[in-house]
Amino acid sequence: MKTKYLLLIGLALAMAVVLGGCATGLSASSWPGVTADATNAYIAGGPYVYAVNLQTGVEVWRYPAKAATATPYYATPVLTPDGQLIVGSFDHKLYSLNPQSGAQNWVFDQARDRWIGGVLVTSEGIYATNADYNLYALTFTGTLKWVSPFQADQAIWGSPVSDGTNIYFGTLGRKVYAVNAQTGKQVWVKAVDGAILGSPVLGPNNSLYVGTYGDVLVSLNTSNGSIVKQETASSWIWSGPVQDGTNIYVGDGNGMLYAFPMTDAGQPWTQQLGGAIVGSPLVSGKTIIIGTELGNIYFIDNTGQNLRPISITGKIYASPVAAGTLILVAPTSGDNTLVALDLNGVTKWSFKAK
Amino acid sequence: MWETIIVNPFSTALLLIYKLIGGNFGIAIILFTILIRLITHPLMASQIKSSTKMTEFQQSKQWQDIQKKYKGDKEKLAQEQMNLYKELGISPFASCLPSIIQIPLIFGLYQSIMRALASTPGQLLIFTRAVSPLLNFFHINSADLVPLNSKFLWMNLGQPERVYMFGVGIPLLALIVAVTTYVQSKVTMPASPNPNDQGAMMNKMMALYMPLLLGYFALTFASGLSVYFITGNLIGIAQYALLGKVNWRALIPGYKPNTTARNK
């Protein structure tokens, strides 16, 4: 009898431990965000934000002092013109760090949910979208200027973009919002097919492009939100598209890479790659660079020709980032935290966080 | 293995119910809990039967005589106890088994709720990979299910619940979980008039600790799990009531059990 109850109490305690583990493991899951300046690469890589020297691949600093395992950093870090590194955390706080030393400048703690996407930095200040359905405008000292006077319909995972007049962002609730950059007031809202997980991108002629989980790339008119065009992909589109002035590039869950013309000069093409495409492509001159879930980085000409795959261990969900003559790739569950390639795909160095 | 057998089918079942009832995830959790309880009802009935047998055994003259006889010889007492169990057809672990079965169900449900609500990119990617193909089998497009409506009454089912009053967050759901767990433990507890009955003492301890433990879970984890706990507690009481085993008087402070009325 006693054994039976002890067993039950033991199992209940085990349940507490396992549920705790489940909560942490599941809720903390995402992939790294990367950015770089002329000196360092900055990786929001889970329990720490790392600065890694671009010449040597050696860690310069890490933040915080104690690993934030339960509330990690995955939002893409963003540099400000006045020399700050802004990075959001799953602890609902937005941190400003000194890029040279990793010292904390300030913390903004008024959001009520996770920071999934990176912030937008303009000459006016910082615009930050949070999973609590709100857009926050901050000064460069971390003071709240305003929070959007309306709440979006759902969580906002992607970074916002701005054309100087308005701020644009998409929500998981399948809506695109335009908000006045000075006041935060809603200018227009438009429903699209599918949740928006990534960032929109601005194009020529007042166009705004968003990729959706509903397998479409939508082009909207920034002045009124009307849908101009819709392109269908073979699967979900996760991260935002990118553009090079003539074409817009986006990948999908089936590993298809698409180029859709934005102007008459553009030429459409598609390429079937190995593994799902989660991150955004990178445009580097006339080359498009994209990572896939199977651990390949593909270099391809912007005409859709001359495909060169490079294999890296791990899954590549994060978007590749350009840093001078280097391409930075942050694999998930691979041998390394960050890999630096040259434009020929040759590994220059790799960094593994210890 | 765990994912394939428990989490993915649970998530799919939850999402199918969600879709069928028009997009209310709270109601889907409640219906899913009822479904699970219906499936495991035979086990629950067997647990009640075994508990009753065990209580009767504890109070039987035969067992009390054996206890007196082998008071100083623990080894012999244990041996005689086992012989008596065999003779009376009692399995000491039979009443424990259904409770053990509940534990993987709770794990599975919690993971399913978190997966379905997908509040991080990683969770959504797992959802996309694991659950979508099963949903496609039922001709449901996963894009239609993202995002799920996680609002239920005043709660966001993917987050721990708090009701804010005068700027203070009150964990109302955690309190309801603790209270319903306590009530369930008390009214379904086998009665024992013997103050030295070890089983009865353990039951009393469980009636105190389980509400605290589940209340702590409700305080810490997604409120969807609390909806499961509360529904499970209420259905548990209903199941005992259907079998005529609920003792409401046990809730009265200072109540002394009358076993002849309760255990026959």
Side-chain angles (χ1 to χ4, degrees), chain A residues 2 4-5 8-9 11-12 15-16 19-20 22-23 26-27 29-31 114 157 172 174 213 236 238 276 293 317, chain B residues 92 95-96 99-100 103 107 110-111 119-123 125 128-129 143-144 146-147 202-203 206 213 217 221:
Chain A
K2 194 174 179 180
K4 184 183 87 174
Y5 285 101
L8 270 178
I9 290 168
L11 281 168
M15 185 163 81
L19 273 180
C22 293
L26 281 170
S27 64
S29 58
S30 194
W31 39 87
R114 300 178 177 100
W157 283 8
L172 264 66
R174 305 168 203 175
Y213 191 75
W236 43 260
W238 201 286
E293 192 177 33
Y317 297 131
Chain B
S95 59
C96 177
S99 304
I100 293 170
I103 289 168
F107 291 160
Y110 183 74
Q111 289 182 330
S119 57
T120 67
Q123 284 170 4
L125 194 60
T128 303
R129 288 277 177 277
D144 295 337
V146 176
M202 283 289 186
N203 272 334
M206 291 288 280
L213 188 72
F217 289 160
F221 301 125

Side-chain angles (χ1 to χ4, degrees), chain A residues 175-256:
Chain A
K175 289 200 172 82
V176 182
Y177 288 83
V179 170
N180 184 290
Q182 295 301 317
T183 62
K185 285 183 182 162
Q186 184 180 304
V187 178
W188 54 255
V189 56
K190 184 73 184 175
V192 294
D193 292 336
I196 301 161
L197 313 178
S199 304
V201 65
L202 288 159
N205 306 320
N206 300 326
S207 60
L208 179 78
Y209 292 84
V210 290
T212 81
Y213 191 75
D215 310 350
V216 288
L217 177 74
V218 186
S219 163
L220 301 107
N221 186 324
T222 54
S223 50
N224 57 18
S226 61
I227 293 177
V228 179
K229 207 175 174 186
Q230 197 158 291
E231 307 280 4
T232 305
S234 72
S235 178
W236 43 260
I237 297 172
W238 201 286
S239 297
V242 294
Q243 56 107 346
D244 63 1
T246 51
N247 278 340
I248 186 139
Y249 305 94
V250 72
D252 76 11
N254 284 337
M256 292 293 285

